[in-house]
Amino acid sequence: MAKKVLMKGNEAIAEAAISVGCIHFFGYPITPQTEVAEYLAKRLPKVGGLCLQAESEVAAINMTLGAAAAGTRVMTSSSSPGISLKSEGISYIAGSDLPCLIVNVQRGGPGLGGIQPSQADYYQATRGVGHGDLRLIVLAPSSVQEMASLTAQALDLADIYRMPAMLLADGALGQMMEPVDFSAFPKRDVPEKTWATVGHNNARPHNIVNSLYIDPQVLEDSVKARYQRYAEVEKNEVQYEEFMTDDADIVLVAFGITARICKSAVTAARAAGIKAGLLRPITLWPFPKDAISAAADHAKALMSVEMSMGQMVDDVRLAVNGKKPVYFYGRTGGMIPSVEEVTKEICSLANAL
Amino acid sequence: MKVVTVLLYKGTTDNLNVICGHYGSGKTNIAVNLALSQKANCPGSVVNIADLDIVNPYFRTADAADILKRAGVNAMIPLFANSNVDIPVMPDAMQTMFDPDKKDQFSFIDVGGDDGAVALGMYAERIKNCGYGMIYVVSMYRPLTADPKEAAELLREIEEVSHLKCTGMINNSSVGAETTAEDVLAAVEWAHTCAECCSLPLLCHSYYQSLLPELPEIFSAAGYGDEILLPMINVTKQIF
């Protein structure tokens, strides 16, 4: 691949996955993520991989489970309603301690909703993506470059912690085009998959991949062991970016495409003499609660800006823990907040403080 | 050094022009710019642009509707574009584009990427009846068509589903708003190879005029004084 390429976010996800050895894909088409599968359908046969359009999202996620159990790097991708369909399988994957990548290029909901971008699956991704005590590592890219680099990271993290990871993008990031550089992904050491069900030739006890535990004590033990790994993720893997927060009176908290809009709004507010800043969570789980708590020590107020009716704002409030007021501004249903309207919100908040 | 407008980029303009190519190659930008340029050069003529993009509901001609309206270009967009029933139902007025007797009318059809050209097939007979030019837009910076052989493969696919033949190529090698003069220069030789591979005449190299006012001089200095350049405004929707 040429050093400099211009790609749609969806294509960048697909190419990044191939570049880190994820050459198995199972999915089902849905706007606005279809280019992920479309790109992989063209590329994977050329690199000895498999791109399979399943009969449904439910089939695709279970194929993903099977491929992960066999120890291969594997991914699936969909958009909001399709992720809901996959939720049972995602829980099975978490309960089976299997690594994989699940991509959600979000669109407006609930229900069939619309096809324009949204961030209203935050609760689903960080709280309720499947039944039972479980977590996903959730990464939120905010550029086409990050659609690529965080895809690569998510596959490493999934393998390291033996758990599913999700790339939580949105339709705008999926469809927009920016230059991407594939040469600069940091590589992590990934453990060997000694647990994979790849045949044993009677040389070792056979491996079992399973999420069914009839004995409640055994199930509790397995969940607790998994939560020790989750604690490691929370300790080691938090990522966020700060923009002009050092002396900020008003700290915006935003992720994904909304963070790009907020960056422009912060710059505009600064030009108008308002000390604004932006804290952008890159990992939504684990959530950067310590960084937000630290920001609340010096800021006068925080404002969560989202393409939803207000979901991440709950996590911001938990992190701030009453130290400072936390406000919310959002658009939903596929509407994208403009730089002007976010700037206006910052200005009216500054006047009220 | 020739910096040209639509009237000159290949010596003459067809009454009916079809713009096709790989998705993300810049078809919409080219189609809108050619239409605006045609109208600016021939204010008395009727200029139409039709958005036949059934593939991408996010970035398309329909987004540039205001600019086109102000310039006096008739924008024909799918009746339900940007709504939840976004289907390729074109307005009746689109039929007027296929009148072979209207010689003062110039029409530009912005086709969806790749096999989005299948929607063009239904108009193929009427388009042939009018006489037409069909431009294949290519970019060296788009991974799936960066290999000239792959660009040629895609061209055959587009021609197969649209039942039409391309007549020329525009090199729109760009990396978006961050494009530098070096990026454009680096694609000149590639464009000639690609055109040869596709057996199409290379009509011109397009570039964003706002970003590169100095490009014609740079082209001359690099020994590309004979290349034809097509300056364009960027009509891509801005989110942030």
Side-chain angles (χ1 to χ4, degrees):
Chain A
M1 174 150 321
K3 194 158 179 269
K4 209 183 235 180
V5 290
L6 180 69
M7 289 183 120
K8 280 192 172 198
N10 286 337
E11 297 173 321
I13 291 170
E15 186 60 40
I18 296 170
S19 77
V20 294
C22 176
I23 56 168
H24 296 94
F25 175 89
F26 304 93
Y28 187 81
I30 181 169
T31 304
Q33 68 76 53
T34 301
E35 292 87 357
V36 177
E38 198 174 358
Y39 188 95
L40 289 170
K42 284 185 177 148
R43 285 275 284 128
L44 287 184
K46 293 180 181 171
V47 295
L50 172 71
C51 175
L52 194 148
Q53 178 174 327
E55 67 268 38
S56 72
E57 286 87 348
V58 176
I61 192 67
N62 284 294
M63 291 172 185
T64 304
L65 186 155
T72 184
R73 278 206 155 167
V74 59
M75 68 180 281
T76 185
S77 89
S78 192
S79 177
S80 308
I83 298 294
S84 297
L85 280 165
K86 289 180 195 291
S87 66
E88 180 197 46
I90 295 172
S91 176
Y92 279 44
I93 290 170
S96 306
D97 295 314
L98 291 173
C100 71
L101 171 63
I102 300 146
V103 174
N104 182 1
V105 183
Q106 297 168 88
R107 58 188 248 182
L112 268 178
I115 56 172
Q116 296 295 328
S118 164
Q119 296 179 321
D121 301 349
Y122 179 91
Y123 279 156
Q124 185 193 48
T126 62
R127 304 282 199 287
V129 72
H131 59 279
D133 287 315
L134 70 89
R135 289 292 191 183
L136 299 188
I137 294 169
V138 184
L139 302 176
S142 82
S143 64
V144 175
Q145 180 65 42
E146 280 191 349
M147 291 286 257
S149 61
L150 294 185
T151 291
Q153 266 196 43
L155 283 157
D156 276 353
L157 289 170
D159 280 349
I160 291 168
Y161 295 100
R162 219 180 134 181
M163 62 186 285
M166 175 177 275
L167 190 81
L168 191 68
D170 64 73
L173 283 165
Q175 296 294 329
M176 72 186 202
M177 298 181 75
E178 287 181 323
V180 198
D181 180 358
F182 285 90
S183 64
F185 301 151
K187 286 242 178 333
R188 301 266 301 252
D189 286 333
V190 173
E192 199 190 334
K193 296 177 178 177
T194 52
W195 44 262
T197 52
V198 287
H200 52 84
N201 290 323
N202 295 318
R204 58 161 170 78
H206 62 269
N207 289 333
I208 298 174
V209 170
N210 174 44
S211 69
L212 176 65
Y213 299 88
I214 295 297
D215 181 339
Q217 187 57 60
V218 177
L219 179 54
E220 186 188 51
D221 292 347
S222 87
V223 171
K224 282 189 167 171
R226 196 170 298 125
Y227 265 68
Q228 280 175 7
R229 263 183 295 135
Y230 292 168
E232 287 296 302
V233 177
E234 288 194 271
K235 197 173 88 189
N236 302 329
E237 305 297 348
V238 173
Q239 289 184 60
Y240 57 93
E241 180 199 353
E242 289 190 83
F243 177 68
M244 295 185 143
T245 50
D246 284 351
D247 63 339
D249 293 332
I250 297 169
V251 172
L252 304 189
V253 185
F255 68 96
I257 192 73
T258 311
R260 295 286 284 275
I261 296 160
C262 286
K263 221 173 211 181
S264 299
V266 163
T267 307
R270 287 267 170 179
I274 297 166
K275 286 184 183 169
L278 168 69
L279 196 151
R280 172 172 78 93
I282 297 171
T283 50
L284 299 180
W285 192 88
F287 193 68
K289 43 192 174 194
D290 294 342
I292 289 174
S293 172
D297 287 335
H298 62 72
K300 291 179 183 162
L302 291 89
M303 179 164 68
S304 185
V305 184
E306 305 170 48
M307 290 195 296
S308 72
M309 290 302 286
Q311 299 188 10
M312 182 179 68
V313 65
D314 288 356
D315 282 333
V316 177
R317 288 202 173 106
L318 284 169
V320 171
N321 202 16
K323 279 192 274 191
K324 296 287 163 57
V326 176
Y327 299 89
F328 169 76
Y329 181 71
R331 299 293 303 266
T332 198
M335 296 302 294
I336 305 175
S338 68
V339 174
E340 292 72 29
E341 62 191 277
V342 176
T343 310
K344 211 174 125 197
E345 287 298 313
I346 299 173
C347 293
S348 30
L349 181 53
N351 287 335
L353 286 177
Chain B
M1 170 54 46
K2 283 188 230 165
V3 177
V4 299
T5 63
V6 61
L7 283 180
L8 297 171
Y9 77 97
K10 55 178 177 171
T12 173
T13 303
D14 291 293
N15 289 98
L16 199 48
N17 299 275
V18 179
I19 323 296
C20 64
H22 182 36
Y23 61 83
S25 58
K27 295 174 301 299
T28 294
N29 252 327
I30 301 257
V32 170
N33 272 275
L34 292 182
L36 290 173
S37 176
Q38 178 70 42
K39 186 67 183 176
N41 283 287
C42 283
S45 62
V46 174
V47 179
N48 306 310
I49 186 167
D51 177 357
L52 215 59
D53 192 342
I54 58 162
V55 177
N56 180 355
Y58 273 69
F59 297 95
R60 53 197 279 179
T61 303
D63 297 329
D66 286 346
I67 304 173
L68 293 163
K69 196 176 172 188
R70 277 200 302 277
V73 173
N74 305 318
M76 299 176 184
I77 62 176
L79 290 176
F80 306 106
N82 296 340
S83 77
N84 274 355
V85 280
D86 198 342
I87 49 175
V89 177
M90 298 303 292
D92 295 343
M94 183 151 168
Q95 306 303 329
T96 63
M97 287 172 33
F98 307 121
D99 186 342
D101 298 326
K102 286 191 177 165
K103 293 298 174 197
D104 62 341
Q105 168 176 275
F106 298 91
S107 302
F108 299 84
I109 303 177
D110 177 16
V111 182
D114 294 10
D115 45 12
V118 77
L120 194 58
M122 69 181 286
Y123 299 109
E125 287 312 313
R126 275 170 283 181
I127 291 173
K128 282 183 207 164
N129 189 41
C130 280
Y132 68 99
M134 182 148 134
I135 296 164
Y136 185 43
V137 181
V138 293
S139 165
M140 185 177 86
Y141 299 107
R142 295 288 295 138
L144 292 184
T145 52
D147 179 345
K149 285 197 202 84
E150 287 175 326
E153 267 172 41
L154 178 62
L155 170 66
R156 301 302 160 227
E157 281 169 35
I158 289 172
E159 290 182 333
E160 194 180 316
V161 297
S162 67
H163 308 295
L164 296 168
K165 288 278 179 198
C166 282
T167 57
M169 174 183 286
I170 289 184
N171 168 31
N172 186 49
S173 294
S174 146
V175 283
E178 295 172 35
T179 309
T180 63
E182 287 69 34
D183 296 330
V184 182
L185 269 185
V188 174
E189 296 299 334
W190 173 86
H192 283 282
T193 309
C194 194
E196 202 174 310
C197 216
C198 294
S199 304
L200 289 176
L202 178 62
L203 303 174
C204 59
H205 310 271
S206 52
Y207 67 102
Y208 292 147
Q209 57 181 14
S210 56
L211 293 172
L212 302 166
E214 78 282 20
L215 195 73
E217 291 76 34
I218 294 174
F219 257 63
S220 288
Y224 293 129
D226 293 334
E227 303 293 332
I228 300 178
L229 292 174
L230 182 70
M232 302 199 303
I233 56 167
N234 186 357
V235 295
T236 307
K237 184 165 69 181
Q238 298 299 316
I239 298 174
F240 45 83

